[in-house]
Amino acid sequence: MDIAAWLRGLGLEQYEPAFRANEIDEKVLPSLTSEDLREIGVVLIGHRRWLLNAIAALGTEPPVVTKSPASRGSPAPANAERRQLTVMFCDLVGSTALSSRLDPEDLREVVAAYHRAVAKIVAGFDGFVSRYMG
């Protein structure tokens, strides 16, 4: 797993040097706590929550294959085709209130269970979850 690419995908690439300096890799990532993140310099609560939710989702989502985008000046491949894309947004109602009542680790488990349930339903329709946000 490329931690730098993962952080870029979350829009939190500014923490890449801290993750690298603290030798945080895919083996260490699942055991990180909010306190660990604060200690390495993730001072914003929103960023810590974002990272903890994304870490919890790592075990539930299939690996995402990413390709570098084609440059704007290059023509589309001759064998390109149009495909229909369906985008779905779903929300765990009451999650904000839940976050104030639960310990962060317990909340992470609840959110991870929700992510697994959503991913299972989406997979049942031959879909895949590209990204968990929020």
Side-chain angles (χ1 to χ4, degrees):
M1 171 183 191
D2 182 357
I3 298 292
W6 178 73
L7 287 167
R8 277 192 303 276
L10 294 172
L12 299 172
E13 60 274 357
Q14 68 267 34
Y15 299 115
E16 179 191 348
F19 274 64
R20 195 174 341 103
N22 288 280
E23 296 185 6
I24 296 171
D25 60 11
E26 67 274 359
K27 294 176 194 129
V28 175
L29 205 56
S31 63
L32 286 179
T33 65
S34 183
E35 197 59 40
D36 294 332
L37 293 171
R38 182 179 299 130
E39 190 174 320
I40 68 167
V42 183
V43 294
L44 298 175
I45 294 171
H47 287 181
R48 285 197 306 270
R49 296 245 183 224
W50 185 271
L51 283 165
L52 290 171
N53 287 340
I55 290 167
L58 282 176
T60 62
E61 61 184 80
V64 177
V65 178
T66 58
K67 296 180 181 177
S68 56
S71 65
R72 293 181 184 249
S74 65
N79 61 350
E81 62 182 82
R82 290 180 184 250
R83 295 183 184 183
Q84 181 174 345
L85 173 69
T86 302
V87 178
M88 179 178 76
F89 172 83
C90 54
D91 189 23
L92 180 58
V93 175
S95 61
T96 303
L98 195 60
S99 70
S100 67
R101 291 193 330 250
L102 292 178
D103 181 69
E105 286 80 15
D106 294 336
L107 177 65
R108 184 172 61 194
E109 290 176 21
V110 169
V111 171
Y114 173 73
H115 286 165
R116 284 191 299 273
V118 169
K120 183 177 180 181
I121 292 168
V122 169
F125 289 96
D126 293 328
F128 71 96
V129 176
S130 172
R131 179 179 308 179
Y132 294 99
M133 300 175 68

